[in-house]
Amino acid sequence: MATRSAPAETEEWFVFPREREGNVYSVNWSLCHDGVVPVGDAFRNARLPILTKKLGASASVPTITPSSPLFYGGYHLLEAGDTLPHADFNELFTEVKSYLSSGIELFIEDASLGAYNKVRLGARIVTVDAATALIFRNLLIPSPPRPADHRARFDGWNFDPRFKQPKLVWNGDRCNLQEQTEAEPGQRPVAVFIGDETTNPVAAVQFVESNGSLVGANIVAGAKTPIKGIVEAVGFATNVLVNEKFASAVALPSLSLVKGDKTVLVVNASDEVLSSALESKSFGVFGAYSNVITAAGVTPLFNGIICSEATAATVKAVGYKQIPSVVVSGQTAVAMHPNNLANPVSHIAFFEEGVAKSVLTEADALQKLLNLTDESKTEAIKSILSGVTFSVIGTTKDVVNLF
């Protein structure tokens, strides 16, 4: 970890711990727990003046224009054990962790995925680029400040023999020590590690399993991987984990739209569909990239969107104004208005480029949804989607006419 030693030529005492911004022991240990040794400074959820200064700007400017990272471009989304052998993922992961441990300055964004706390997961982005950190501050759900706990990455960390300890329980007469039987939630089950420019433009996902259940995911990307590729990887991993953890919820790659009391979900919406929806004056975009359907309503996984600089100005008029936007090649990421839930979904449209618009039967829609999730979600899908209209659409014009 970052070296902080007393002068060798003196025998003066000094106060321990010798922490400061960029050298907080709990943050350092949490990184070490994942194999990243912060030899240099590691800024967790750094103050805006720190991030903007690293980019040669002030915290008060509305936009910052570095040359990278790109928002769009070519990339490969890979899953370890499926489209990528586990051995190859482990080799790539080792290379990226070695780079992040080389003494270079690190920026860590700890935030959340899921605006509704009943289906929310923690997330961490580890990068050497202040612009990337600022971008994901706009895209992810902000979390209340809390110390980093190196033990608590995954759900059930309190069952680990290294960290297991009894719980003090009051029985009405006295306090007794009891063994913990309930799993404590993890702080950051989804973690992204971004390497240097020698890493291929991939976004590779490896799920972490414990006691027969999926508890988290490691995502490895390179500096050349476009932001949209990392967003897709995070969305894919989080959808799988939400569907595994929350039996009554259904997480889907989707765009949620709202008008009045109606909520429409466009499954597998393209970037062109999102751009078209943002330009519409007849309805609003509620959540991009991934959404979770619950009995209480629809909640977005992400807090922000990738869009053109011109569109961002419109979004900022009703959303967050205090976070500067990073603009690269006319594209940027901007945080939207922070709403937890939209009304329960009334219409689900499956976007398939070029197909003719048509109505789907409930049975056909169920099969499409199971193809995106798995058989374990059958009852959840049936219970929360009763009475929902289903369709297939193939053009951006079809999206505009969904309401």
Side-chain angles (χ1 to χ4, degrees), residues 211-224:
N211 297 321
S213 298
L214 298 180
V215 295
N218 291 315
I219 300 171
V220 176
K224 291 182 179 178

Side-chain angles (χ1 to χ4, degrees), residues 94-175:
T94 299
E95 291 175 0
V96 170
K97 287 188 290 187
S98 178
Y99 168 66
L100 295 173
S101 303
S102 64
I104 198 165
E105 220 168 34
L106 302 179
F107 300 94
I108 301 99
E109 287 296 307
D110 280 353
S112 298
L113 293 155
Y116 184 38
N117 65 350
K118 302 295 185 184
V119 290
R120 184 179 297 158
L121 296 180
R124 166 170 284 188
I125 310 292
V126 184
T127 178
V128 303
D129 180 34
T132 298
L134 194 54
I135 288 168
F136 278 97
R137 186 166 300 184
N138 275 301
L139 290 174
L140 300 178
I141 304 286
S143 298
R146 60 182 175 184
D149 187 337
H150 72 278
R151 305 168 302 171
R153 181 174 167 193
F154 303 113
D155 287 358
W157 61 268
N158 53 315
F159 296 149
D160 188 314
R162 296 171 297 172
F163 311 135
K164 198 172 184 179
Q165 55 185 338
K167 181 171 60 174
L168 197 62
V169 178
W170 175 255
N171 64 7
D173 180 45
R174 57 183 293 179
C175 286

